[in-house]
Each structure stands twice: as C-alpha cells, then as structure tokens.
Amino acid sequence: MQTIILNGKKLAEKLHQNIKIKALELQKKTGKKPTLAVCLIGEDPASQIYVNKKQQTAEELNINSIIERLPSNSSIEEVIKLVKNWNDNPGINGILVQLPLPNNLNSDLVINEISPIKDVDGLHPENLGLLCLGTPQMIPCTPFGIYSIFKEYNLEISGKRALVIGRSRLVGKPIAQILTNESATVTIAHSKTSKEELDYLLKTSDIVVAAIGVPHFINGEQLKENSIIIDVGINRIDIEGKNKLVGDIDYESCLNKVQAITPVPGGVGPLTVAHLMINTLKAFEIQNQMYNN
Ligand code: GUN
C-alpha cells in the first residue's frame, strides 16, 4: 500500500495565509497589533532555535512578538514576577514560557501563574481542565496541530484504537484527551509500560502518537498495517558524520506498511508554531470582546 505522507509543513503554510490576513484585519478593527510574549530561560540550544522560529513566524504573520531572555540561575520569584507583569499588561495578548525550564525551576509553579485568558500554550490547569471536559478554550499547540492533520486529511478518529506514547503536560496528556473527545479508545503508554505490553499495543492500535524523545524507538515491523502514525519526536543524531533530525519512529521502515505518517522534519513541528499563532489571535479576540464561537 502507498503510504500517505502527512505534510505538516504544507498545511502550516496554508494556515499561515489565513492567520496573516486575520491578524491584519484585527489590527485594522482595533488599532492594536496582536502581541505574543515569550520567556526563554537559560541556554538550551533546541529551545533557542524554537523560540527564534516562533518570533520569525509571528513577525511574518503580522503578529508582534516580544522575547524576554532570562539567565538559567533566575529565581522562581523573578520568573513569576515577569509573568504577572505580562498578565497585567493589556498590550500583551499571549504569554508563553518556553519549556523545559532549567532544573532549579518548577515549571508547574510558573504555568499556574499565567492568566488562563493569555495562556496561548493551553497548559494552565483551567485550560487543560476545560479540554478534559470537552469544552476547550485554549488547546495546547502541538496536540492542536496534530488534530488539524487529522481534519486536513480526513482521517477518521471515532471508534479507532489510539495509542499515545508519553504522558507529558505538553503533548501526551492533552492529545490523549482530544482523541478521547473525538471518540477514539485511547491508551496512554509511558516509561513504566512493559516492553511486552507496548509491543502488543503497537500491533493492535489504529492510531499511534509517539512523543517519547528517543530516536527511532519504534520501527515499521512493530506497527499494525494501515495504521496512522504521528511522530512528535525531534531528535538530533549523527548519521555518517552529519547531524540530522529524526523522529521517534523509524520513518523509512514504515513506508508502504502504514496508511499515513508524519515525517520529521516537516510533520508536526511546523503545526505547533502555526497553532501558537492561531491561539494568539484567539486570545486577542477574547480580550477585545470580539470572539464569537
Ligand atoms: N517546548 C517544546 N514545545 C513547546 C511548546 O509547545 N510550548 C512551550 N511552552 N514549550 C515547548
């Protein structure tokens, strides 16, 4: 069977066109430019790249972006003070604190301080709670991006057996919730799931979302034929002396075996950024009493 390559980059470009137009319209109507504020703490090289990408994309799409870089030895009080300042600043519509934080900082304490109405990451307990109840307000960007792939490619979720590998606040928990809301039968596997159990789940699942963080952890042999594979992993490895980005899934071994798969790069990654921009515009509309849905 011919495997469908789920082209997240192309879908993100399509979304960007609408975001760009909408951002300009909102600015014309209100005289204010939608603004995203991002806090980056420490020197994590991957986080630096992601934050730069977010800023570049925001600017291309007529969204203002502010980046505050704090040193890795910042105290929790300093970070919370910044977040509270942004909460109180009506010129800022969306707040994102780039994760992971340095080890000395507890990310839960920081996220809990972000005003839910500016929480464009959708990670605040109120937003995750609303998602859990099936009445979402802000949906976390990577899971939202994954959902948009299912919609774009008309991939059925209802009634399917879905396996989510990873139980993080950023990806595993919210995507499991979205798939549940869409009437899949969802199992969450994690680092304590036994190898035998995971093998069984992989062989019997119609949808697999891998958010593990281990390069090529899963290969095509382990998967059910005709399954839909969403690879959230972004891992850097050395292949023949070259630094390459690979996913959690061994992509090549899945071709002509599975129904559809997201590549790395060019799959889920660009959609995370696109949905951050979508959430920023939604936050702007809510804050300006313009949101109707
Ligand atoms: N680190 C990797 N992805 C994300 C994301 O979507 N949001 C935040 N805040 N940090 C991240």
Side-chain angles (χ1 to χ4, degrees):
M1 74 139 22
Q2 177 98 27
T3 298
I4 300 165
I5 309 304
L6 302 168
N7 191 335
K9 187 162 181 274
K10 193 165 147 207
L11 174 55
E13 280 161 10
K14 190 164 120 182
L15 294 169
H16 286 175
Q17 290 178 10
N18 294 331
I19 298 165
K20 192 172 179 176
I21 294 167
K22 185 166 178 181
L24 209 54
E25 277 174 10
L26 291 173
Q27 191 182 347
K28 277 192 189 145
K29 277 189 196 153
T30 61
K32 296 182 277 190
K33 193 165 179 176
T35 298
L36 169 67
V38 176
C39 174
L40 173 60
I41 308 164
E43 311 294 327
D44 181 58
S47 291
Q48 313 245 14
I49 294 171
Y50 299 149
V51 165
N52 288 338
K53 185 77 197 158
K54 287 169 188 176
Q55 180 168 46
Q56 184 199 339
T57 307
E59 280 166 10
E60 283 167 10
L61 302 182
N62 302 320
I63 295 171
N64 219 3
S65 86
I66 295 168
I67 300 186
E68 185 79 32
R69 291 183 166 81
L70 297 179
S72 57
N73 62 357
S74 301
S75 66
I76 190 85
E77 290 80 13
E78 285 169 309
V79 180
I80 289 177
K81 190 172 162 209
L82 175 68
V83 166
K84 285 187 167 170
N85 274 336
W86 283 348
N87 283 342
D88 294 340
N89 181 345
I92 286 173
N93 309 109
I95 298 173
L96 180 147
V97 178
Q98 185 68 24
L99 302 173
L101 295 186
N103 288 337
N104 54 312
L105 294 171
N106 179 335
S107 59
D108 292 350
L109 296 180
V110 176
I111 292 166
N112 292 354
E113 292 297 334
I114 298 173
S115 163
I117 212 109
K118 296 190 177 184
D119 171 36
V120 285
D121 245 341
L123 300 177
H124 187 278
E126 185 174 315
N127 284 319
L128 285 178
L130 287 168
L131 178 63
C132 184
L133 294 171
T135 53
Q137 174 146 280
M138 288 291 169
I139 302 174
C141 305
T142 300
F144 200 2
I146 294 171
Y147 178 66
S148 73
I149 296 178
F150 279 90
K151 292 287 127 195
E152 175 70 11
Y153 286 88
N154 276 321
L155 300 170
E156 183 80 26
I157 300 175
S158 177
K160 302 292 179 188
R161 278 190 186 165
L163 171 63
V164 175
I165 313 175
R167 53 179 159 175
S168 69
R169 185 173 187 160
L170 263 177
V171 182
K173 285 192 174 79
I175 191 62
Q177 210 50 250
I178 291 172
L179 293 169
T180 303
N181 294 345
E182 292 295 312
S183 303
T185 304
V186 181
T187 304
I188 303 182
H190 45 73
S191 54
K192 296 285 186 279
T193 304
S194 72
K195 165 112 182 59
E196 294 71 30
E197 182 70 21
L198 184 63
D199 282 342
Y200 169 76
L201 291 168
L202 287 168
K203 265 280 169 242
T204 51
S205 294
D206 307 304
I207 296 168
V208 175
V209 179
I212 308 160
V214 179
H216 292 171
F217 186 75
I218 294 161
N219 67 61
E221 293 276 283
Q222 294 170 276
L223 298 166
K224 185 179 176 199
E225 272 190 32
N226 277 327
S227 50
I228 296 165
I229 310 301
I230 308 293
D231 191 348
V232 185
I234 303 179
N235 311 292
R236 279 179 194 281
I237 59 166
D238 244 40
I239 301 178
E240 292 162 4
K242 284 196 188 131
N243 194 263
K244 285 208 154 193
L245 273 190
V246 299
D248 294 343
I249 312 274
D250 179 12
Y251 177 82
E252 298 290 333
S253 64
C254 295
L255 298 178
N256 304 323
K257 158 116 201 224
V258 304
Q259 182 192 338
I261 186 167
T262 57
V264 178
V268 174
L271 291 167
T272 297
V273 181
H275 284 81
L276 174 62
M277 304 305 146
I278 289 173
N279 280 348
T280 302
L281 294 193
K282 181 171 179 180
F284 180 92
E285 287 183 291
I286 293 171
Q287 288 157 37
N288 287 281
Q289 287 81 41
M290 300 168 83
Y291 188 74
N292 42 31
N293 195 12

